[in-house]
Amino acid sequence: MPGYLGRPIFILGGRRMSFGVKVRIFPGMRAECFKGGALTVGDDVSIGQGFHVICGSSVSIGSGCLISSGVFVTDTDHQYSDTTLPVAHQPTVTRPTLIGDNCFIGVGARIQAGTILGKGCIVGANAVVRGEFPDHCVVAGVPARIIKHYDPTSASWLRG
């Protein structure tokens, strides 16, 4: 199956974006790479409609990922420490964001700057995710936390 890019789309900094083979992106993607930021998407990735990604440093999406509609991924945080200035006029801080191979990201999830999702992670719908999560865990909630993890000894998913 070849790749697919559904229109309409908005791309800023497209030269700093890399897509593997068999990447399917459904309509409504907004992808922005600022000031040398880079987006890397692995092979055999499916991205649902209304996907939004902001890259100020590095966002990486591993091979085999399934990303549902309405998902937002960023590596950028806005500063707001100077109360005399609008947030848009204050500096940003970037931290690389990594989504490991074979992850599933549920509808409406928000993956925040500096998040690292291990291989095979499942992110619940509408979760707000920030932090580092090990391979093969299920994260959900606002803020997201681990609610299940895979135990290779018993070959089953366990709570907590």
Side-chain angles (χ1 to χ4, degrees), residues 128-151:
V128 177
V129 184
R130 183 185 298 270
E132 295 186 26
F133 298 89
D135 294 350
H136 307 293
C137 66
V138 177
V139 298
V142 179
R145 62 179 180 80
I146 297 173
I147 61 169
K148 287 185 180 180
H149 67 278
Y150 185 76
D151 177 31

Side-chain angles (χ1 to χ4, degrees), residues 17-98:
M17 297 178 190
S18 171
F19 297 90
V21 298
K22 291 177 52 179
V23 173
R24 288 129 4 244
I25 301 173
F26 289 85
M29 177 179 78
R30 180 180 179 105
E32 304 167 83
C33 286
F34 296 98
K35 300 178 184 174
L39 170 64
T40 304
V41 178
D43 297 335
D44 194 22
V45 172
S46 181
I47 298 175
Q49 64 190 33
F51 177 68
H52 186 182
V53 59
I54 296 175
C55 308
S57 62
S58 171
V59 172
S60 178
I61 298 170
S63 294
C65 288
L66 176 59
I67 299 177
S68 299
S69 64
V71 170
F72 174 69
V73 179
T74 188
D75 66 0
T76 304
D77 281 322
H78 288 275
Q79 296 302 297
Y80 51 89
S81 56
D82 186 344
T83 59
T84 66
L85 290 175
V87 172
H89 295 184
Q90 297 188 46
T92 57
V93 174
T94 61
R95 291 175 291 156
T97 298
L98 171 65

Side-chain angles (χ1 to χ4, degrees), residues 150-156:
Y150 185 76
D151 177 31
T153 305
S154 65
S156 61

